[in-house]
Amino acid sequence: MATLLLDQNRGGQVMKVDLKKLVRKARRSLESAEILFHEEDDAGAVSRAYYAMFYCAEAVLQTLNLKFSSHQTVISMFGSHFAKTKIFNPELGRHLKRSYELRLKGDYQYDVMITKAEAEEAIAWANQFVETTTAYLHKNGFLQ
């Protein structure tokens, strides 16, 4: 896989963004989600599944020279630039948002538990998201 470095101008500094590293990080998060799921850590599995999606959403946004610091903005901009425009099935945008909500529930709500079914669903969404966005990056020459 060839490395594509995109120049990002942030406050006068040019940063190099390596999409290959973001995709690798996404795949590793997805592997971790599956391990945690099998260890019956459903909240941990949901968190890692969400981050797999988040890293891929960041990667495709960066192909448009867009980089954001907040999770909610990444989710919103992914929806605006890729789901609503039907570059990707709008369902992917909904799954990204729902996975974020599940991650927050699992990480911050101590009186509510993530169910095994929710974790399984989040991992399935993450698999679809990572595969679809990675295929897009390859098809459009952003990853070799």
Side-chain angles (χ1 to χ4, degrees):
M1 196 182 295
T3 301
L4 174 71
L5 298 175
L6 297 175
D7 289 339
Q8 300 256 320
N9 190 341
R10 295 280 167 235
Q13 283 187 316
V14 175
M15 300 175 1
K16 296 287 187 182
V17 177
D18 187 339
L19 298 181
K20 182 175 83 171
K21 287 181 181 177
L22 270 176
V23 170
R24 186 180 309 132
K25 195 169 185 175
R27 289 192 185 284
R28 183 68 184 135
S29 291
L30 190 51
E31 290 170 8
S32 296
E34 292 182 5
I35 290 167
L36 291 167
F37 180 77
H38 292 294
E39 293 293 321
E40 299 184 8
D41 180 358
D42 298 325
V46 164
S47 180
R48 297 321 309 157
Y50 163 72
Y51 273 100
M53 297 169 78
F54 176 77
Y55 297 138
C56 281
E58 280 192 313
V60 296
L61 285 166
Q62 288 180 19
T63 66
L64 302 176
N65 287 320
L66 298 173
K67 182 163 176 58
F68 305 99
S69 59
S70 95
H71 286 254
Q72 290 178 328
T73 305
V74 168
I75 293 164
S76 175
M77 291 297 104
F78 178 84
S80 295
H81 291 281
F82 291 97
K84 288 181 182 167
T85 60
K86 298 203 168 128
I87 291 172
F88 295 122
N89 185 327
E91 185 176 76
L92 286 183
R94 289 190 291 275
H95 290 167
L96 177 61
K97 184 173 189 228
R98 179 67 179 132
S99 292
Y100 174 70
E101 292 165 353
L102 286 172
R103 183 191 72 87
L104 292 178
K105 174 181 166 184
D107 286 351
Y108 300 111
Q109 293 182 14
Y110 302 107
D111 57 338
V112 180
M113 300 297 289
I114 296 292
T115 67
K116 190 156 209 63
E118 288 171 323
E120 192 168 35
E121 189 170 46
I123 291 170
W125 293 339
N127 272 303
Q128 178 188 23
F129 197 97
V130 169
E131 290 310 312
T132 302
T133 53
T134 302
Y136 170 85
L137 292 169
H138 280 286
K139 179 181 174 186
N140 290 284
F142 295 109
L143 291 177
Q144 300 295 324

